[in-house]
Amino acid sequence: MKNVYEIAQAQLDRACSFLKLDESLQLILSQPKNELIVNFPVLMDNGEYQLFKGYRIQHNNIMGPYKGGIRYHHEVHLDEVKALAAWMTWKCSLMEIPFGGAKGGIKFNPREHSSQEIERITRRFTHALGGNIGPDHDIPAPDMGTNAQTMVWMMDTYMNNAGQGEKNAVRGIVTGKSVTSGGSLGRNKATGQGLVFAVKAWADEFSFDLSEASFSVQGFGNVGYHAAELLSREGSRLKCVMDHTGSIFSAQGIDPVELLKYCKETGGIKGYPKAEEIDRDTFFSTEVDIFIPAALEMQITAETAPMMNVKLVAEGANGPTDLDGEQLLLDRGVMFLPDILANAGGVTVSYFEWLQNRRAEAWDEERVDQRLQLRMTKAYKTMRSLAREHGLDNRTAALAYSVKRIQVVYEERGIFP
Ligand code: NAD
């Protein structure tokens, strides 16, 4: 089985062979520009020091500053961050956002640390990254295991290292901050919101009634919860949920707001009294119209795809589908909203946040949502028209559009020296 970086490469290969892309450009795009690995010590609550390994991979910045999330997870590794950074480049290009692609992370399990330890880890990591990030150079954001509070700690650390007169000018060093500390309204729900806008565009194209639909979600964090809550508002029924504690099912439908309340009290979905506990196989084999992976990579595989009985996979997570899993479902007529489209709402509203910081503006939520919907719907239509015209699957069409935009800029600028 291929690892996640090899999967990202294979996806790029498909798009490049459709575009008949110049080999040297494919070679350039196949590796990130910069790979930064830092090992840094942090004081633990028990008085001992622990060494942490952090990554920042800057894939490409020809379209604008590097941009991408920071992940805290015990399985973070170089190839994973490289793949995630490349997907950011394609995502920003597809959305026509003037950013490049990057990703970072620290290999540790945040659930095993106090909030004070996570704050010290975050601040020390930001310090270690130093001038390798910057509001016009490389702009981090939240990803798995990180949130608005993490971004505020990063911003504060970075600001305190800037000159006195520049502190407020560097507020845009991160996006996904709390609104009170300079974030944007609508950013917290933006990835789930963008996914639902993309699902609505799909439903419009195929005259599919979302008020009659059922769906499952894997992962009930930032992306999974907001996608579930917003899709439920369209009248769709949430049948199954999986998180790191287990899986649950209810034929009548699960209320995402109530489930979130339960998770906040207990730490996960396990034991939720208004649904029945199911195993992993039942989670994947339960028939639903829409399946939303919103947790880890490589979940839809040759093992799980044959069990699935769905019409649409809307990829909230990055890289949730491997090559075999995708082919098996495509062969059965299942449609994909690929990650670089379906979860692009997060980076799109991050761009809006960055713009607001630069202009010292505060947009209302309606304005944020309207602009997000316009961009999601436009990207969906662009992908679908390319897919229909050339008989491509959606992922290859989305990637081809994105790489084509980058190719034009490389051709205009040439390769230095
Ligand atoms: P999060 O930390 O808020 O939530 C992650 C969820 O995944 C949790 O519910 C957790 O229990 C669950 N999970 C962890 N391990 C699991 C396992 N082995 N099996 C099942 N569930 C498991 O993370 P998030 O920000 O919602 O990110 C989820 C995915 O969405 C990631 O792939 C991330 O890259 C992608 N994404 C996030 C954003 C964003 O704005 N946060 C933007 C684009 C893409």
Side-chain angles (χ1 to χ4, degrees):
M1 195 163 72
K2 288 182 160 39
N3 85 5
V4 66
Y5 180 62
E6 291 164 337
I7 290 170
Q9 291 291 322
Q11 293 170 351
L12 177 64
D13 280 350
R14 281 198 310 228
C16 290
S17 62
F18 163 71
L19 291 171
K20 300 189 177 52
L21 197 80
D22 178 53
E23 270 179 31
S24 56
L25 182 52
Q26 186 173 349
L27 190 67
I28 292 170
L29 296 175
S30 69
Q31 288 290 337
K33 273 196 171 177
N34 304 313
E35 301 178 18
L36 183 68
I37 302 180
V38 291
N39 295 296
F40 56 95
V42 180
L43 185 66
M44 297 289 100
D45 293 342
N46 66 5
E48 289 175 9
Y49 281 90
Q50 201 174 315
L51 200 62
F52 290 84
K53 189 180 280 295
Y55 301 85
R56 187 67 183 172
I57 304 301
Q58 298 170 327
H59 177 261
N60 194 281
N61 64 348
I62 197 151
M63 308 300 271
Y66 298 111
K67 183 83 189 85
I70 300 278
R71 176 173 292 194
Y72 290 175
H73 193 271
H74 48 284
E75 282 168 10
V76 163
H77 60 276
L78 182 60
D79 270 1
E80 178 187 59
V81 197
K82 281 173 67 173
L84 289 164
W87 285 323
M88 284 306 298
T89 303
W90 317 142
K91 197 179 298 179
C92 292
S93 177
L94 172 67
M95 299 307 292
E96 304 191 17
I97 291 171
F99 286 147
K103 205 79 178 194
I106 309 178
K107 186 181 172 61
F108 83 110
N109 184 352
R111 288 195 191 87
E112 291 172 357
H113 293 267
S114 67
S115 170
Q116 291 76 10
E117 285 181 349
I118 296 174
E119 177 176 353
R120 289 197 292 275
I121 293 165
T122 302
R123 288 186 182 278
R124 192 61 175 76
F125 177 53
T126 309
H127 177 75
L129 293 177
N132 291 294
I133 55 171
D136 290 312
H137 172 49
D138 183 357
I139 308 141
D143 190 71
M144 243 170 95
T146 56
N147 55 28
Q149 175 64 76
T150 328
M151 292 306 112
V152 173
W153 287 327
M154 286 194 86
M155 178 191 77
D156 186 71
T157 310
Y158 190 87
M159 273 181 156
N160 279 301
N161 284 317
Q164 285 297 336
E166 281 162 34
K167 277 194 179 169
N168 281 301
V170 299
R171 200 177 285 273
I173 174 61
V174 286
T175 56
K177 306 180 281 289
S178 65
V179 175
T180 36
S181 283
S184 175
L185 287 169
R187 172 60 184 91
N188 197 35
K189 67 170 167 64
T191 308
Q193 178 72 81
L195 183 141
V196 172
F197 285 149
V199 169
K200 282 170 85 168
W202 166 80
D204 281 350
E205 183 185 350
F206 294 96
S207 306
F208 184 84
D209 183 1
L210 285 177
S211 72
E212 297 290 319
S214 59
F215 69 104
S216 287
V217 60
Q218 185 196 37
F220 202 64
N222 178 284
V223 180
Y225 165 70
H226 287 293
E229 199 270 320
L230 292 162
L231 204 50
S232 296
R233 283 198 217 170
E234 299 295 319
S236 304
R237 192 161 33 102
L238 173 58
K239 271 170 91 174
C240 296
V241 184
M242 178 194 272
D243 78 355
H244 68 287
T245 63
S247 304
I248 55 174
F249 163 83
S250 166
Q252 293 77 41
I254 297 165
D255 179 343
V257 179
E258 271 189 37
L259 180 61
L260 180 70
K261 224 170 124 201
Y262 177 83
C263 288
K264 283 190 172 155
E265 285 158 13
T266 64
I269 63 171
K270 194 178 172 65
Y272 181 60
K274 292 190 178 169
E276 134 194 5
E277 196 163 330
I278 52 172
D279 60 20
R280 189 170 177 273
D281 284 4
T282 314
F283 172 80
F284 277 102
S285 56
T286 300
E287 181 178 353
V288 282
D289 299 306
I290 303 167
F291 186 88
I292 305 174
L296 300 167
E297 293 99 41
M298 295 168 65
Q299 298 299 302
I300 300 173
T301 62
E303 182 226 336
T304 54
M307 298 185 225
M308 292 172 63
N309 194 349
V310 307
K311 294 187 176 68
L312 179 75
V313 176
E315 295 184 337
N318 286 302
T321 310
D322 78 6
L323 302 170
D324 297 336
E326 179 168 34
Q327 199 53 56
L328 282 163
L329 291 184
L330 287 175
D331 289 347
R332 281 170 29 207
V334 174
M335 189 167 268
F336 279 82
L337 297 181
D339 45 12
I340 61 169
L341 170 80
N343 70 37
V347 74
T348 303
V349 178
S350 275
Y351 169 52
F352 299 160
E353 177 176 335
W354 184 77
L355 281 179
Q356 290 171 71
N357 289 164
R358 284 174 90 92
R359 302 174 180 171
E361 288 179 356
W363 300 359
D364 59 36
E365 193 161 343
E366 211 184 349
R367 182 172 177 192
V368 170
D369 287 352
Q370 274 172 357
R371 288 181 175 214
L372 174 61
Q373 184 161 23
L374 278 174
R375 282 189 185 253
M376 293 304 303
T377 310
K378 180 169 180 244
Y380 176 87
K381 287 184 176 163
T382 302
M383 170 188 82
R384 289 292 302 143
S385 61
L386 202 60
R388 273 197 309 267
E389 190 183 336
H390 298 281
L392 299 170
D393 62 275
N394 283 347
R395 191 185 314 278
T396 306
L399 230 159
Y401 180 75
S402 145
V403 172
K404 180 80 197 166
R405 290 188 73 239
I406 293 168
Q407 178 193 15
V408 170
V409 180
Y410 267 100
E411 282 172 2
E412 283 171 1
R413 288 175 55 172
I415 293 164
F416 182 82

